[in-house]
């Protein structure tokens, strides 16, 4: 009997505001995301639970190859180094390493992860302000590329070189004005005030260190490719200065990460899919700047890129389920889902794309999407015109591959499974859901507090 | 609960309030419920009519109905 009935949709009424721009955005003219790389969302949730992180191996490889092509068709020697902090799930790192990426790390923890993944020491770039003496010793022994952040570190490395009787391979990180705001000056040595040039002089006069490269990371989500052109030009000028004064050839120029992804920044006027520059645009600006610099053709350095978010954001999705549908006092719809800001750190920066995982009609409601945490900050989308979902139905949050699986917070709930869908469409759990013991096993309750009576 | 007399409801889901000049749009289930309310029908009859036609259950319908009524009130489309 029920086969003959029509599908029930919640009744809704919506006021039409003639000529008033709608802050909730345009009508939903998109399709549901029912599957990822051929695997049904509902099957993934059934097998691996909700919420669930899903990574597409195919998207990682496709994106990487697109970036690699953009640069290597314009510049003779290009090397990517996977930025571990962006996503250091070992399976993710190893997809990049299989594609030929080196590793870029910023802590002893990340360094050891890269070694354990099988990356050769000389293919690890060690960045960041906090490298302990133990970290540095290890990196020197393994011939890793140490990017010096400050003078204290420079002198520590020089002392270790003497003690270990080994010549560490070093670069300096350079910060500079490239016309973008905010200007990051807290990392490395400044270009404009001559500090970077002074650091290079000390390294080359010292002779205990081998200067191999020059590094800059001008910021993140940089929407203007020409800023990279300026950065490349300034590093090239330093390389020419070193060549002229010391007859020393710089092996590589490393322009860091920072390319924008297609996510939409909060408060942005247009969606990120419309405004994000292509890899070709970044590659054109950087290659042109280095090739047209005063560096001699025989001395053309390797171009290293530590691209993070632009290579992994698209490959990650977060699947979840509707917990409740409420009505706020001001009439707006409130949708409570099982994905909170603890799992989606990037919801503080982005207006993430949230899509139902099952077919819906074109009717929408002005909605707020909340996470499940009993905390006011737990908002996934503030204003969204959203189709009419029911309790238990599923949503897909797209482009979450960068920074969420590393900056997530262990807060109120446990972290769920992460699966990677391989090139044949087969899902693999690459990080198991946490259990209470995953956390409580690190706690120690003093004996006198073990007995309670409530 | 009664729908105001000056509210015009079209079969394709539009409402016009001739007192305020405001217009509203409804989805099909919303349209049917509002037309039944306009005829003076109350919850039990409306519930029966909707569940005969649509695939749902009492609890789901009641939750949705109460939510819908709260919006109708908020938009001042009812008398009282
Ligand atoms: C030194 C360095 N390299 C690379 C990256 C990756 O940046 P992004 O994800 O913006 O490409 C970062 C991130 O902050 C960084 O600090």
């Amino acid at each position: 009997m029920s086969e003959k009935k029509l599908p029930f949709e919640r009744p809704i009424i919506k006021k039409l505001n003639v000529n008033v721009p709608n802050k909730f955005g345009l009508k939903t003219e998109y399709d549901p995301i029912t599957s990822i790389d051929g695997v049904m969302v509902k099957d993934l949730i059934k097998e691996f639970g909700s919420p669930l992180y899903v990574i597409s191996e195919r998207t990682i490889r496709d994106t990487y190859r697109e970036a690699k092509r953009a640069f290597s068709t314009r510049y003779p020697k290009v090397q990517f180094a996977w930025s571990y902090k962006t996503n250091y799930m070992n399976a993710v790192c190893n997809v990049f390493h299989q594609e030929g990426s080196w590793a870029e790390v910023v802590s002893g923890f990340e360094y050891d992860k890269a070694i354990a993944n099988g990356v050769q020491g000389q293919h690890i770039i060690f960045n960041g302000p906090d490298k302990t003496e133990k970290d540095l010793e290890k990196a020197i022994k393994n011939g890793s590329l140490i990017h010096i952040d400050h003078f204290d570190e420079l002198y520590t490395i020089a002392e270790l070189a003497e003690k270990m009787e080994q010549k560490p391979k070093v670069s300096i990180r350079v910060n500079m004005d490239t016309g973008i705001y905010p200007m990051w000056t807290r990392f490395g040595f400044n270009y404009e005030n001559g500090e970077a040039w002074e650091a290079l002089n000390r390294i080359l006069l010292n002779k205990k260190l081998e200067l191999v490269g020059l590094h800059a990371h001008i910021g993140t989500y940089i929407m203007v490719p020409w800023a990279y052109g300026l950065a490349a030009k300034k590093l090239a000028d330093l390389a020419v200065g070193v060549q002229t004064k010391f007859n020393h050839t710089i092996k590589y120029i490393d322009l860091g990460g920072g390319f924008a992804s297609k996510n939409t920044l909060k408060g942005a006027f247009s969606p990120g899919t419309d405004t994000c520059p292509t890899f070709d645009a970044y590659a054109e600006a950087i290659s042109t700047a280095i090739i047209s610099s005063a560096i001699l053709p025989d001395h053309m350095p390797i171009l290293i890129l530590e691209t993070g978010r632009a290579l992994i954001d698209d490959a990650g999705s977060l699947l979840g389920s509707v917990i409740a549908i409420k009505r706020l006092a001001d009439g707006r719809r409130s949708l409570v889902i099982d994905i909170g800001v603890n799992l989606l750190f990037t919801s503080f920066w982005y207006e993430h794309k949230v899509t139902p995982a099952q077919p819906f009609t074109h009717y929408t409601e002005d909605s707020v999407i909340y996470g499940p945490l009993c905390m006011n900050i737990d908002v996934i989308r503030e204003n969204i015109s959203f189709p009419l979902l029911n309790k238990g139905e599923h949503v897909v949050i797209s482009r979450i591959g960068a920074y969420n699986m590393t900056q997530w917070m262990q807060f109120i709930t446990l972290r769920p499974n992460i699966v990677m869908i391989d090139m044949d469409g087969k899902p693999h759990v690459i990080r198991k859901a946490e259990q209470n013991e995953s956390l409580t096993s690190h706690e120690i309750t003093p004996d006198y507090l073990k007995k309670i009576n409530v | 609960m009664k729908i105001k007399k000056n509210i015009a409801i079209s079969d394709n889901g539009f409402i016009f309030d001739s007192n305020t000049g405001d217009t509203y749009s409804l989805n099909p289930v919303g349209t049917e419920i509002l037309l039944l309310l306009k005829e003076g029908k109350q919850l039990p009859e409306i519930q029966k009519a909707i569940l005969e036609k649509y695939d749902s259950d009492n609890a789901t319908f009641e939750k949705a109905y109460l939510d819908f009524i709260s919006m109708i009130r908020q938009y001042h489309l009812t008398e009282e």
Side-chain angles (χ1 to χ4, degrees), chain A residues 156-420:
Chain A
T156 307
I157 295 171
E159 280 165 27
L160 287 172
E162 209 165 298
K163 195 176 96 187
M164 296 170 70
E165 296 180 357
Q166 247 184 296
K167 202 166 186 183
K169 290 189 169 61
V170 300
S171 299
I172 59 162
R173 174 155 175 182
V174 182
N175 67 63
M176 59 181 75
D177 184 3
T178 54
I180 57 143
Y181 179 85
M183 183 176 149
W184 287 19
T185 59
R186 57 179 282 192
F187 304 110
F189 303 90
N190 185 251
Y191 176 86
E192 283 80 19
N193 70 9
E195 196 189 23
W197 179 241
E198 191 187 323
L200 292 173
N201 274 272
R202 293 208 199 168
I203 291 169
L204 286 159
L205 291 168
N206 175 294
K207 296 201 170 45
K208 290 193 192 74
L209 314 179
E210 184 189 351
L211 178 73
V212 286
L214 295 167
H215 174 230
H217 171 76
I218 58 175
T220 194
Y221 204 97
I222 308 286
M223 308 241 292
V224 282
W226 51 257
Y228 284 95
L230 276 175
K233 185 179 176 309
K234 288 183 177 180
L235 292 188
D237 285 348
L238 290 175
V240 170
V242 160
Q243 184 74 47
T244 311
K245 180 167 173 186
F246 297 95
N247 192 28
H248 181 84
T249 308
I250 294 288
K251 291 208 176 76
Y252 65 84
I253 280 183
D254 177 348
L255 281 166
F259 301 160
S261 79
K262 296 190 193 78
N263 266 306
T264 305
L265 286 179
K266 281 198 167 170
F269 189 72
S270 313
T273 42
D274 292 353
T275 57
C276 177
T278 58
F279 287 122
D280 286 295
Y282 292 114
E284 185 66 26
I286 293 171
S287 316
T288 307
I290 303 179
I291 289 168
S292 63
S293 75
I295 299 178
L296 296 174
D298 284 354
H299 297 157
M300 275 297 154
I302 299 171
L303 168 61
I304 296 185
L305 297 153
E306 303 168 351
T307 311
R309 72 176 78 236
L311 287 180
I312 189 70
D313 243 351
D314 281 6
S317 306
L318 192 43
L319 317 186
S321 310
V322 176
I323 294 172
I325 304 136
K326 299 169 71 168
R327 176 75 69 186
L328 298 176
D330 65 5
R332 283 181 302 165
R333 170 65 64 206
S334 142
L335 208 65
V336 186
I337 62 173
D338 60 0
I339 298 167
V341 294
N342 54 337
L343 303 182
L344 193 64
F345 189 84
T346 51
S347 58
F348 294 125
W349 318 329
Y350 293 141
E351 286 185 354
H352 276 293
K353 181 170 166 252
V354 187
T355 313
Q358 51 284 310
F360 49 87
T361 70
H362 67 274
Y363 295 99
T364 61
E365 293 176 296
D366 297 344
S367 310
V368 188
I369 303 181
Y370 291 115
L373 308 179
C374 196
M375 289 287 291
N376 209 29
I377 55 160
D378 196 24
V379 185
I380 299 298
R381 284 294 304 268
E382 199 86 50
N383 299 311
I384 183 171
S385 184
F386 206 65
L388 281 54
L389 265 60
N390 299 304
K391 178 179 158 58
E393 289 187 322
H394 305 307
V395 294
V396 178
I397 306 186
S398 306
R399 295 198 182 95
I400 59 91
Y403 296 104
N404 287 305
M405 284 158 241
T406 49
Q407 289 196 75
W408 49 13
M409 295 175 276
Q410 196 288 302
F411 183 50
I412 300 183
T413 63
L414 298 168
R415 284 168 279 218
N417 278 318
I418 302 179
V419 301
M420 180 184 280

Side-chain angles (χ1 to χ4, degrees), chain A residues 3-149:
Chain A
E3 280 82 23
K4 292 212 189 95
K5 292 187 183 178
L6 297 169
F8 177 76
E9 183 177 56
R10 280 188 278 117
I12 54 156
I13 176 165
K14 203 167 165 179
K15 191 168 181 170
L16 301 174
N17 293 333
V18 186
N19 292 332
V20 178
N22 186 345
K23 69 175 169 172
F24 290 93
L26 305 170
K27 209 168 94 177
T28 50
E29 267 148 14
Y30 55 87
D31 295 320
I33 299 178
T34 52
S35 65
I36 295 174
D37 287 2
V39 191
M40 295 301 286
V41 168
K42 65 173 185 338
D43 294 344
L44 284 165
I45 288 183
K46 201 162 154 208
E47 185 167 358
F48 303 105
S50 176
L52 177 71
Y53 291 97
V54 179
I55 294 169
S56 157
E57 179 182 343
R58 181 173 298 281
T59 306
I60 300 181
R61 293 191 192 270
D62 287 352
T63 312
Y64 177 86
R65 286 171 195 175
E66 192 193 327
K68 185 77 199 273
R69 179 206 48 78
F71 280 90
S72 52
T73 50
R74 292 177 169 86
Y75 193 81
K77 294 177 275 185
V78 179
Q79 178 63 54
F80 280 85
W82 177 239
S83 158
Y84 265 46
K85 71 159 102 54
T86 310
N87 187 319
Y88 46 55
M89 290 306 118
N90 292 332
V92 170
C93 295
N94 279 3
V95 174
F96 283 107
H97 296 323
Q98 281 189 352
E99 290 289 329
S101 262
W102 294 357
E104 184 268 330
V105 303
V106 293
S107 68
F109 161 69
E110 289 188 359
Y111 186 92
D112 290 346
K113 244 177 174 277
I115 292 284
N117 280 337
V119 183
Q120 297 170 43
Q122 74 266 27
H123 293 157
I124 302 178
I125 293 171
F126 202 164
N127 278 317
D130 175 25
K131 309 175 191 87
T132 64
E133 273 194 39
K134 225 173 100 212
D135 296 337
L136 287 168
E137 266 183 42
K138 210 182 309 182
I140 293 168
K141 210 164 97 224
N142 293 333
S144 301
L145 308 165
I146 305 172
H147 289 189
I148 304 173
D149 186 75

